[in-house]
Amino acid sequence: SQTIHQWPATLVQPVGSPLSLECTVEGTSNPNLYWYRQAAGRGLQLLFYSVGIGQISSEVPQNLSASRPQDRQFILSSKKLLLSDSGFYLCAWTHAGLAGYNNEQFFGPGTRLTVL
Amino acid sequence: AQKITQTQPGMFVQEKEAVTLDCTYDTSDPSYGLFWYKQPSSGEMIFLIYQGSYDQQNATEGRYSLNFQKARKSANLVISASQLGDSAMYFCAMNPHRGSTLGRLYFGRGTQLTVWP
């Protein structure tokens, strides 16, 4: 069975510090991978998605970046955090290719980031 | 541009009663998928139900059913026999590229459901 992991689970960082959040998927190959951010009491905003190693697409301009160094690893980074980067970060995956009628996304447990 | 609208920021329902959570969507894509996710206070996103734009029948999954009205572009979630554990945030989402390699989802802002005894 497939599983998705995220770490750390919670993080408190000062403004201006770097960030690295990691997401890994097990039990599948060549997944599509996604990073979402959820501000308090809000819906999910897609930040990045990737359809393969080294292939990253950005949805919104920001001081965050993403990388996919391995097939099932997705990393969210920042060189200098802003207060507005606080939120709940969710990684998700879905089957690549023509997924048929149910292209369900499977979500990780999330990382709660607080920037002070 | 694709858009998902959930007009109910909060809903209250008594235990064992049914509740309907509203969702409307806007897309020019003829092929799309509609999803509902549940997010309890722990933050995890739990997939509940899926409806394809070409599906003839409304989707059902246990106590969850999706009232799909394509002409009105609505995809309301119906929860029957509510339980205290149903208290959570509920998100409606759309994949406007069903069958593509992208699979991305557009989410509404959510409805906070509270079930009281």
Side-chain angles (χ1 to χ4, degrees), chain B:
Chain B
Q2 288 76 22
K3 182 179 178 181
I4 298 287
T5 303
Q6 295 180 253
T7 58
Q8 307 154 314
M11 288 286 286
F12 295 84
V13 64
Q14 189 171 22
E15 196 177 9
K16 300 181 183 178
E17 297 294 315
V19 62
T20 298
L21 306 183
D22 294 342
C23 173
T24 58
Y25 58 92
D26 184 21
T27 181
S28 57
D29 194 321
S31 299
Y32 52 90
L34 296 160
F35 301 78
W36 277 92
Y37 283 85
K38 172 184 177 182
Q39 187 180 41
S41 57
S42 60
E44 59 185 313
M45 293 287 284
I46 302 168
F47 166 73
L48 295 178
I49 196 167
Y50 166 85
Q51 179 84 44
S53 60
Y54 292 117
D55 292 344
Q56 296 297 314
Q57 293 185 330
N58 287 345
T60 59
E61 288 287 348
R63 295 186 297 110
Y64 305 108
S65 61
L66 202 153
N67 184 1
F68 181 46
Q69 299 188 43
K70 192 171 183 177
R72 294 186 177 184
K73 293 189 175 180
S74 73
N76 299 340
L77 177 70
V78 180
I79 305 175
S80 62
S82 297
Q83 302 172 357
L84 296 178
D86 293 335
S87 294
M89 182 72 84
Y90 288 80
F91 290 98
C92 179
M94 176 174 64
N95 171 7
H97 298 290
R98 191 185 70 177
S100 76
T101 58
L102 201 54
R104 65 158 299 166
L105 292 178
Y106 293 86
F107 283 84
R109 297 182 68 163
T111 296
Q112 178 68 47
L113 175 67
T114 302
V115 181
W116 49 284

Side-chain angles (χ1 to χ4, degrees), chain A residues 36-46 88, chain B residues 6 39 45 89 91 107-110:
Chain A
Y36 290 89
R37 178 170 60 199
Q38 184 179 26
R42 303 291 297 273
L44 275 68
Q45 179 188 35
L46 180 64
F88 189 54
Chain B
Q6 295 180 253
Q39 187 180 41
M45 293 287 284
M89 182 72 84
F91 290 98
F107 283 84
R109 297 182 68 163

